[in-house]
């Protein structure tokens, strides 16, 4: 079974702080996605990255895909309580659009 | 446009009982997926379908069966429920990637299943 490791597992920070979440694997990804999931709901897609070294920005969120397409990071600038949730990475390693998910990073932003 | 809906939202079963979870999407998506989510395990793919009448095994298919008789519906069946199947089940759907669409998966709200 291929594994996607996310770190940290849990993160509790104050409003206004910056943070970075990581997603790593020993496999090369065809593409990688980041999702956010709120309690009682399904995950919602934030971004898809497909090119090694790619950087995408979504307001205060910056997503980076590693040059070798084996890892990715999500950086949040000036976190807000509305950023609270479970952040999941998902990777397609076979090009078949069958994604495996990471274990998730549970973020709590305190006001 | 309801997106992806799942029924039921909650269910409690006794060991050995059977049930079917229903997923419906109104976005005319070809691909549909069933995942389970357990604490500390992320989402794991159970079965998926790339079109009406087709199904395929995912990462953790044992103990589950699926059917895709209609394009908009994807059913997940548990023939003889076990406590290890206690989980939150999510259905998702997506367009066929590479045909001018992205591979965004749209998820339903989940079904919380407890097997006693």
């Amino acid at each position: 079974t291929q594994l996607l490791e996310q770190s940290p597992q849990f993160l509790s920070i104050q409003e206004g702080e910056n943070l970075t979440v990581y997603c790593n694997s020993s496999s090369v990804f065809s593409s990688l996605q980041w999702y956010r999931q709120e309690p009682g709901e399904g995950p919602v897609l934030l971004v898809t990255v497909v090119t090694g070294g790619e950087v995408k920005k979504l307001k205060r969120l910056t997503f980076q895909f590693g040059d070798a397409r084996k890892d990715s990071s999500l950086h949040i600038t000036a976190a807000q309580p509305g950023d609270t949730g479970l952040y999941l990475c998902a990777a397609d390693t076979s090009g078949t659009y069958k994604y495996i998910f990471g274990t998730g990073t549970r973020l709590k932003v305190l006001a | 446009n309801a997106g992806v809906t799942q029924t039921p939202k909650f269910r409690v079963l006794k060991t050995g009982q059977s049930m079917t979870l229903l997923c419906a999407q109104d976005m005319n998506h070809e691909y549909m997926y069933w995942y389970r989510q357990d604490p500390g395990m992320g989402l794991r793919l159970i079965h998926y379908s790339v079109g009406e009448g087709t199904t395929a095994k995912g990462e953790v298919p044992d103990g589950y069966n699926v059917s895709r008789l209609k394009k908009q519906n994807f059913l997940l069946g548990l023939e003889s429920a076990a406590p290890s199947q206690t989980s939150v089940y999510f259905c998702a759907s997506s367009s066929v990637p590479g045909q001018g669409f992205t591979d965004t998966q749209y998820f339903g709200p989940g079904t919380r299943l407890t097997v006693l």
Side-chain angles (χ1 to χ4, degrees):
Chain A
T1 302
Q2 296 164 328
L3 291 176
L4 270 181
E5 296 184 0
Q6 287 189 242
S7 61
Q9 271 190 294
F10 302 95
L11 194 54
S12 180
I13 61 172
Q14 292 294 130
E15 182 176 4
E17 291 184 359
N18 301 332
L19 68 116
T20 302
V21 173
Y22 299 94
C23 177
N24 297 288
S25 175
S26 56
S27 301
V28 175
F29 308 140
S30 301
S31 62
L32 185 137
Q33 299 180 325
W34 284 95
Y35 289 81
R36 179 167 66 211
Q37 184 180 18
E38 300 191 18
E41 299 181 7
V44 175
L45 180 69
L46 296 172
V47 76
T48 301
V49 287
V50 297
T51 305
E54 184 176 2
V55 177
K56 282 192 173 179
K57 292 193 175 183
L58 185 65
K59 297 183 180 177
R60 294 175 293 101
L61 278 61
T62 302
F63 304 87
Q64 186 159 7
F65 201 14
D67 291 340
R69 294 189 289 132
K70 291 185 177 182
D71 56 86
S72 181
S73 64
L74 158 60
H75 182 79
I76 302 179
T77 303
Q80 298 177 359
D83 296 326
T84 293
L86 178 67
Y87 288 82
L88 296 161
C89 63
D92 174 11
T93 58
S94 58
T96 58
Y97 306 103
K98 196 171 64 176
Y99 284 85
I100 58 170
F101 279 78
T103 50
T105 293
R106 194 166 295 280
L107 172 65
K108 187 168 186 178
V109 182
L110 305 170
Chain B
N1 190 336
V4 180
T5 57
Q6 293 183 232
T7 52
K9 287 187 167 49
F10 302 94
R11 185 72 186 267
V12 178
L13 290 178
K14 293 182 179 179
T15 297
Q17 288 185 318
S18 63
M19 77 163 295
T20 301
L21 282 68
L22 171 64
C23 175
Q25 53 93 6
D26 60 2
M27 296 175 281
N28 201 35
H29 285 166
E30 289 292 336
Y31 287 20
M32 296 187 75
Y33 309 82
W34 274 109
Y35 295 91
R36 60 177 288 174
Q37 185 174 35
D38 303 292
M41 300 287 287
L43 283 99
R44 291 182 291 170
L45 183 64
I46 304 172
H47 286 280
Y48 65 103
S49 169
V50 299
E52 181 179 318
T54 72
T55 63
K57 294 180 180 180
E59 189 183 353
V60 287
D62 294 342
Y64 304 94
N65 56 76
V66 288
S67 64
R68 183 99 181 268
L69 299 179
K70 292 183 178 181
K71 186 178 182 179
Q72 63 268 33
N73 296 336
F74 195 28
L75 279 64
L76 177 70
L78 286 73
E79 289 188 346
S80 179
S84 61
Q85 294 178 303
T86 293
S87 188
V88 181
Y89 291 85
F90 287 98
C91 175
S93 70
S94 68
S95 301
V96 178
Q99 294 186 356
F101 299 102
T102 68
D103 57 354
T104 301
Q105 292 187 57
Y106 295 87
F107 283 82
T111 294
R112 188 174 295 275
L113 175 67
T114 301
V115 183
L116 302 175

